[in-house]
Amino acid sequence: MSLSFKRWTAAWVFAMAGISTTPAGAADQAKVDDIVRKASHAAYYQGVDGKARVDMRIFDAQNRERSREFTILRKDIDDADDGDQKFYVYFHSPADVSKSVFLVWKHVKGDDDRWLYLPALDLVKRISASDERTSFMGSHFFYEDVSGRTPDEDNHVLLEETDNYYVLKSTPKNSGNVEFAYYKNWIHKTTFIPVKTEFYDASDRAYRTYQATRVEMVDGYQTVTESKMSDTRIGGYTQMRYSKVDYDVAIPEDIFSERYLRSAPRQYLR
């Protein structure tokens, strides 16, 4: 993942200098869109590819704990900033999910493609777009959280600007496809990393909260190495801790294919 902001630098300086021939409202929206796209970049696009080992701990409403350990691989297609991506998630443990694989082809324009390989059944299950906001392997994260929402799926407004954060409100353009009415994002003004996201229902009640609880510099990139998702509707939370994080490791694109669902690329999973 890269903090390369070259695509937006000119627009950002232009807006901050107040040099504009467009109406004030249009300039304000350009600034908001710029913040959103930088945040998406910081969260999902640093480096041309990357890998990490993830220790996932799931705590239910009674504080009972389950765990998952997996490796996630990510590759930007055609090395394009903020374009299509592919994700490969391989589960190491526990035994009931070991060797399961979750594969995502993320499309900036159009619905993502998602598959789940279940080794016990030797079955490749396609996950429909209508199921993308359902539990990811029994956790409080959703399948969509692995690859992220595309910024163009929502309308964004700047609610507040503090010393350290931009606070944005985002409303889905197609409300029939999601369970939330809107969400708020707290985006760090220096790194553009989203450090907190709250999802609200139609009654303005926050029910689902994401937090980046640890951020570290890895290979020159600011990286979330610990995160948490809680959901008041079902209770409990899920914590993810990232280790063995590497960027720009030259992962071949053919690994992100059905062939490697049944035959894991061991050299990239260590």
Side-chain angles (χ1 to χ4, degrees):
M1 301 181 181
S2 167
L3 285 179
S4 171
F5 300 147
K6 57 183 179 293
R7 177 172 294 183
W8 303 286
T9 300
W12 176 254
V13 172
F14 196 61
M16 293 302 291
I19 304 171
S20 175
T21 57
T22 56
D28 291 345
Q29 190 57 52
K31 175 182 174 179
V32 172
D33 292 344
D34 186 66
I35 295 168
V36 171
R37 295 188 187 283
K38 284 179 177 177
S40 174
H41 187 92
Y44 291 100
Y45 285 93
Q46 303 202 68
V48 297
D49 63 20
K51 57 179 290 190
R53 190 92 164 197
V54 182
D55 177 25
M56 184 165 75
R57 303 277 170 172
I58 306 165
F59 298 87
D60 67 14
Q62 286 74 47
N63 207 34
R64 292 173 297 195
E65 179 181 347
R66 292 176 294 145
S67 66
R68 306 271 189 268
E69 186 172 5
F70 58 86
T71 294
I72 182 168
L73 309 177
R74 190 217 82 213
K75 187 174 185 65
D76 296 353
I77 304 307
D78 298 327
D79 296 341
D81 276 350
D82 312 309
D84 290 356
Q85 296 179 303
K86 293 183 179 178
F87 295 81
Y88 182 101
V89 182
Y90 178 87
F91 285 82
H92 300 279
S93 65
D96 61 332
V97 298
S98 177
K99 299 181 182 179
S100 297
V101 180
F102 177 53
L103 177 65
V104 184
W105 290 2
K106 178 179 179 178
H107 306 296
V108 173
K109 298 186 182 300
D111 293 335
D112 297 347
D113 294 305
R114 296 179 173 87
W115 299 268
L116 182 64
Y117 173 60
L118 302 171
L121 303 174
D122 191 25
L123 172 69
V124 177
K125 175 184 177 184
R126 191 176 182 92
I127 298 175
S128 68
S130 61
D131 289 333
E132 65 186 15
R133 294 193 62 79
T134 59
S135 172
F136 170 61
M137 300 298 281
S139 76
H140 295 77
F141 287 86
F142 290 163
Y143 287 106
E144 185 184 63
D145 295 324
V146 174
S147 52
R149 286 181 65 77
T150 302
D152 289 345
E153 291 184 86
D154 306 312
N155 294 313
H156 312 278
V157 296
L158 180 62
L159 291 180
E160 182 183 4
E161 187 172 342
T162 71
D163 288 343
N164 294 319
Y165 301 105
Y166 299 110
V167 184
L168 271 62
K169 177 181 179 180
S170 302
T171 307
K173 293 178 181 177
N174 189 345
S175 60
N177 290 345
V178 295
E179 88 290 353
F180 61 84
Y182 63 92
Y183 60 92
K184 293 181 182 177
N185 244 329
W186 282 256
I187 297 170
H188 192 265
K189 294 176 76 171
T190 300
T191 64
F192 286 92
I193 288 178
V195 298
K196 181 181 177 182
T197 306
E198 287 183 342
F199 291 86
Y200 291 78
D201 62 20
S203 300
D204 293 325
R205 288 190 293 258
Y207 63 91
R208 189 167 181 264
T209 302
Y210 164 85
Q211 293 174 279
T213 51
R214 181 182 291 272
V215 178
E216 299 177 82
M217 186 71 78
V218 179
D219 295 343
Y221 304 125
Q222 293 283 355
T223 302
V224 175
T225 56
E226 187 174 300
S227 63
K228 177 182 177 181
M229 184 73 81
S230 57
D231 192 328
T232 61
R233 298 172 306 178
I234 59 175
Y237 63 94
T238 294
Q239 183 181 60
M240 288 195 187
R241 291 176 175 163
Y242 299 77
S243 61
K244 300 181 180 179
V245 180
D246 287 312
Y247 294 100
D248 301 320
V249 288
I251 304 171
E253 186 177 342
D254 65 350
I255 283 177
F256 301 84
S257 65
E258 185 169 347
R259 171 189 171 192
Y260 283 95
L261 295 178
R262 292 181 170 85
S263 179
R266 300 286 179 187
Q267 67 272 32
Y268 294 100
L269 301 176
R270 299 188 182 103

